[in-house]
Amino acid sequence: MSQLGGRCCPILGGGPAVNGPRRAEIHPQSRRQLAHFRSPRLWRAMASREPFKGKATQNQWEKLFLDCTRRYTSDLSIFGKTPVRFFCSISSSRVQDNRFVRHSSEGETELPSYTWPDNQRPRVCILGGGFGGLYTALRLESLVWPDDRKPQVLLVDQSDQFVFKPMLYELLSGEVDDWEIAPSFTDLLKNTSVQFVKDRVKFIRPLDHLNHIEMGELGRSCSGGLVHLESGIIIEYDWSLPQCSRLVLALGAEAKLDVVPGSAEYAFPFLTLEDARKVNSKLTTLERQRFGKDSPPIHVAIVGCGYSGVELAATISERLEDRGIIQAINVETTICPNAPPGNREAALRVLQSRKTQLFLGYFVSCIKEVSASEDSVGMTRIGEEMSIDAKNHRNKFILELQPAQRGLESQILEADIVLWTVGCKPVIPHLDPFDQSNTFPLNGRGQAETDETLRVRGHPRIFAIGDSAALRDSSGKLLPATAQVAFQQADFAGWNLWAAINDRPLLPFRFQKLGEMMTLGRNDAAISPSFIESLTLEGPLGHAGSKEDSIPPETAYR
């Protein structure tokens, strides 16, 4: 089993969490050094962690996310300034502290609201408990705060478990169990002051957009904004100092299945723990049904040959061996077009050695379920008859492929299970439908546009990180929605929240690419470190490197 510590903790290099000098006041001239310093000692220390087993799991997870930041930040001596005080008007739906009402034709109805422990301390509400959201909360916990300035941090997520998504593939190979990659937020946050609420976000009502904050009476609290949850609870992130309340958007992304006819009805996404469980259950059922030498092979169709699709194809082909036929479809003429050439070539060799059928230069136009009542003969390829087995089983599916490149002909494939790995959409909460003046600047992908300090444009008290954020690197290229980016953004977001609350300058985010890795089964992997050009470790050596080396792998970044 891949070493979780060796995969996760090296990511912390490159962000301000581990980059600062010990016992040093942060001056403007040292912030550049802060943003570019990396800690190989941390990588080496965390890469040697053993697999998490038994009762030690909880402690290992706590060390994984907490000790590594405290080790480098607990001795920082940072001196804040007294912030300038502002006051603004209160939302019309709020009648007094911690009380909201709904106005209707039947009168006023009091709404439940989240009660913050302390009405005088800053509040930070983090929506989403993935890599970005969870690590932002833990980053805030690790920083040194003045006694009256440490914020109350509330983490909201629709699940009660944090899921280490890069290891979902290993559920299919049987290398890990659910509990090893999905600890509860309660256990992870037990020794911190971070509060957790399991709920879904219904909509938000930010009150920090330009020209909205107004001066109020002296001593009157102001609202930074409201978060409405599906359960009906309202969370108000405010304080008597307007610059001291913040909202962090880190809700991640969800599968976009409504792309072609039939994809939402018949295809399995592979993005969450529940998705992985469903795929594993379906494969197990098919394996039991096709047990025996005379049984037909299991046909698996994988749509998309990016990192996720290729790792799925490699994992499932290794699991099924001669009992399965893997068919991978990609609109590009190559697999993993954005991967380093060494990784791409290594993955291609693995797929070819496992007899994976690649349909490159094609897109899926529709997916249909085979009906037992069909009288006509189906087709596997234009002009060829479909197998009798496909006609007689209702759980067979037909994929119609159309060429995306010249010189190719249409194809029709049959499959027992269809896996969909293309198309994700960021989860951005809806805004209050009754507040037409509120808008979020979104790009074409549906991500919130942010400035270089990770604040949403036009909303200085809202940060967006991970899949929720649209941010470009120094060359102007949009940063990928990977866990490597989310980890580093969370590090800077935590730091900038500290700076905003303590009236200090915010740091511009600078992404440092640390390397890429692909897991290709139990004993295969490909690693391309960023600091050694054209070097690729593959096969058993690459797999060993993913467990023992301090090189941060790309598979832990997505």
Side-chain angles (χ1 to χ4, degrees), residues 141-160:
E141 182 73 14
S142 71
L143 290 171
V144 178
W145 297 86
D147 293 338
D148 59 342
R149 290 298 184 86
K150 184 175 182 179
Q152 303 166 91
V153 180
L154 177 64
L155 181 65
V156 180
D157 193 87
Q158 63 183 7
S159 173
D160 57 4

Side-chain angles (χ1 to χ4, degrees), residues 148-208:
D148 59 342
R149 290 298 184 86
K150 184 175 182 179
Q152 303 166 91
V153 180
L154 177 64
L155 181 65
V156 180
D157 193 87
Q158 63 183 7
S159 173
D160 57 4
Q161 293 174 294
F162 168 79
V163 180
F164 195 84
K165 292 183 178 181
M167 294 184 71
L168 288 177
Y169 309 97
E170 298 183 26
L171 281 177
L172 303 183
S173 64
E175 295 178 79
V176 299
D177 294 321
D178 291 9
W179 62 269
E180 295 181 85
I181 63 172
S184 69
F185 285 110
T186 303
D187 288 340
L188 290 175
L189 302 173
K190 184 179 67 173
N191 295 326
T192 73
S193 61
V194 179
Q195 300 297 309
F196 173 73
V197 170
K198 179 184 176 182
D199 210 331
R200 290 178 179 268
V201 178
K202 186 176 182 180
F203 66 87
I204 64 175
R205 186 185 182 189
L207 303 177
D208 65 342

Side-chain angles (χ1 to χ4, degrees), residues 86-90 207 209 211-217 222 242:
F86 293 92
F87 302 93
C88 71
S89 60
I90 302 176
L207 303 177
H209 45 299
N211 300 324
H212 189 99
I213 297 179
E214 302 174 357
M215 297 299 293
E217 298 175 4
C222 72

Side-chain angles (χ1 to χ4, degrees), residues 221-296:
S221 66
C222 72
S223 176
L226 306 175
V227 177
H228 292 251
L229 303 180
E230 290 284 357
S231 63
I233 295 177
I234 297 176
I235 300 173
E236 185 181 22
Y237 55 100
D238 72 338
W239 196 40
S240 57
L241 301 178
Q243 70 268 31
C244 291
S245 61
R246 293 294 186 274
L247 179 69
V248 180
L249 303 181
L251 290 168
E254 60 186 11
K256 188 177 182 180
L257 289 176
D258 55 346
V259 180
V260 300
S263 57
E265 294 84 358
Y266 306 125
F268 287 87
F270 197 82
L271 199 61
T272 67
L273 178 62
E274 187 60 29
D275 293 339
R277 288 170 173 166
K278 290 180 180 179
V279 173
N280 186 58
S281 176
K282 179 63 174 179
L283 288 174
T284 301
T285 300
L286 290 170
E287 287 172 317
R288 291 172 178 171
Q289 292 174 348
R290 308 293 174 86
F291 182 78
K293 294 182 179 180
D294 297 331
S295 299

Side-chain angles (χ1 to χ4, degrees), residues 29-66:
Q29 61 266 27
S30 66
R31 287 199 298 272
R32 178 174 297 180
Q33 300 173 4
L34 187 70
H36 292 285
F37 178 80
R38 296 198 300 214
S39 174
R41 181 172 61 172
L42 177 63
W43 292 6
R44 291 193 299 269
M46 301 308 296
S48 60
R49 291 193 182 278
E50 296 296 327
F52 300 165
K53 297 291 185 180
K55 296 182 179 179
T57 303
Q58 178 177 314
N59 294 334
Q60 292 281 14
W61 275 101
E62 291 170 357
K63 290 181 180 180
L64 175 66
F65 290 104
L66 285 175

